[in-house]
Structures are given as structure tokens and as C-alpha cells.
Amino acid sequence: MLSKAPRLQFRRPSPTTAEFTVTTLRPLPTPIHVFLLLARLLLSLATVLLLHARFAVSPPLPDRFIPLFLRAGHDAYRCSHAGRAVASLASGVPVPILVPAAAGLLWLLSRRGYACESLLVMRGLGVQTSSTAGSYLATTATRFIPTEKIQDILVNEAFRGFEVRYYLVVVVEGEDDVVVVFPDILPGLKIVEEVWRGARACLYDRRGEEKG
């Protein structure tokens, strides 16, 4: 639902800085994105409460092993109308079915459903690549490459099955392997060429074409 074909977003915070972001996120109005995020949170909370209610019926540990403050909160929740309703619902679901189903649902709710990768170019400093994790629970993977280590920024091509794919790479001094930009999305040639031109123009102060 949230994913679509890759599209390029360009931002120029300053004359010496350029950010290129490739994302598969569908461009929906902000209120819809907020609504979907709140729906994820509420559904996750409901799943956790259902698990809590089920194990409240048959606690996995004796009360003496549960901290006092947790026991007090648990008793207050169990005596509430919402707690009794959830407990009644959970008691009818066998644990071997409830636990895997809840774990699978929580895993699905933690997935973003789209990919987002970016290249930040800072003239005189270097470039930084970022890849957003597929889960809301994981952190974004970033790498900074200083200008003095950058030998070149190139467009390479490779075969993927019977298809030719073009991708942007940074040649780093002292490393055998190149750094692939947008490695998970691998956008089309049009986006790759646009980012290549913009990155070189920003990084080399419009002298990028002389290096080609």
C-alpha cells in the first residue's frame, strides 16, 4: 500500500550541500501518514494487551517472582472493565496459536513497507550514504566518506539476470570494493544519471565534468 516505483527527492540546504533521496514511499497527504502510523501503534498495543491478558489467566511465573510495582499495575488493569473484556477474549485462544500469531503480527506492524536511501554531498567535507532500515525498530545505516578519500563517482552497469542495471558508485582510495549508492533500491538510469551529475557538480564545484 505504501510502496511504489522509486522516485527522487532533491534538497539543497546550502550552496555547498546537496541531498539526494530515493524512496519508494507513496506520496500521500501527511494526515494519512499520521493516521496509518497511529493505527500501527494502536494495533501493536492491542496485541500486547491481548498477550498480557492471556498470560494473566495462566501466569508463566508465580506472583513471588513478579516485582511488586508490576503486580500492582497488573491487578489494577485486570480489575478494570477493559482488562476483563480483553481477558475474556484472550482466554478463548490457545497459547500455541496466540503467541505465534501475535509475534507475526507485531513483526508485520514493525515493517516500514517502503525503502528510503539517500546521498548527502558536502563540498569540502565528503559524502554520506544512508539506508533506512526495513523495520521501525532498527537504526539507519550510514557511512561517511571524506573528500580526500574519494577518487571518483561513477555510473556502473551490471547484468541482473537478463537485465542491465545501472548503479551509482563511489570509488574510495585504499579499498578494493566500491561503495554502491542506493544499494537496496537500485533506481533506474534516469535517476542515477541525475544524482551523478548533481553530486559531482556539488562535490567538485562544477568541475565534475572535467574529471569524466
Side-chain angles (χ1 to χ4, degrees), residues 6-204:
R7 59 189 177 92
L8 175 64
Q9 297 174 335
F10 174 72
R11 194 168 66 94
R12 197 73 186 254
S14 72
T16 59
T17 305
E19 184 179 33
F20 306 88
T21 301
V22 177
T23 180
T24 60
L25 178 63
R26 188 178 298 276
L28 298 174
T30 301
I32 294 181
H33 282 295
V34 173
F35 170 77
L36 292 175
L37 182 59
L38 289 176
R40 283 174 180 262
L41 292 175
L42 290 176
L43 192 53
S44 299
L45 178 60
T47 303
V48 172
L49 289 177
L50 191 64
L51 283 172
H52 175 272
R54 182 63 184 85
F55 285 106
V57 177
S58 302
L61 293 174
D63 285 348
R64 64 177 180 273
F65 292 110
I66 301 176
L68 184 59
F69 71 94
L70 289 180
R71 215 183 313 163
H74 166 73
D75 291 339
Y77 169 72
R78 187 167 53 181
C79 294
S80 66
H81 293 292
R84 287 196 295 268
V86 174
S88 175
L89 176 64
S91 62
V93 183
V95 172
I97 296 177
L98 178 62
V99 173
L105 180 58
L106 289 173
W107 180 83
L108 286 175
L109 291 172
S110 71
R111 307 301 296 174
R112 293 183 184 275
Y114 64 91
C116 184
E117 297 179 302
S118 65
L119 174 68
L120 179 64
V121 183
M122 297 166 284
R123 186 185 306 159
L125 295 176
V127 300
Q128 177 176 286
T129 62
S130 301
S131 295
T132 301
S135 171
Y136 286 104
L137 303 178
T139 58
T140 300
T142 61
R143 179 181 178 181
F144 177 76
I145 307 172
T147 302
E148 58 270 18
K149 290 288 187 179
I150 300 175
Q151 292 186 335
D152 211 342
I153 300 178
L154 306 170
V155 177
N156 276 6
E157 62 179 34
F159 285 97
R160 190 176 184 180
F162 295 101
E163 182 183 7
V164 178
R165 298 302 297 266
Y166 297 90
Y167 55 96
L168 191 67
V169 299
V170 180
V171 182
V172 182
E173 181 183 354
E175 296 188 13
D176 295 332
D177 297 328
V178 296
V179 177
V180 179
V181 184
F182 315 131
D184 296 328
I185 299 178
L186 291 178
L189 179 60
K190 182 179 179 181
I191 292 178
V192 170
E193 286 185 334
E194 186 174 346
V195 175
W196 172 72
R197 291 193 183 95
R200 288 168 68 94
C202 180
L203 188 64
Y204 300 121

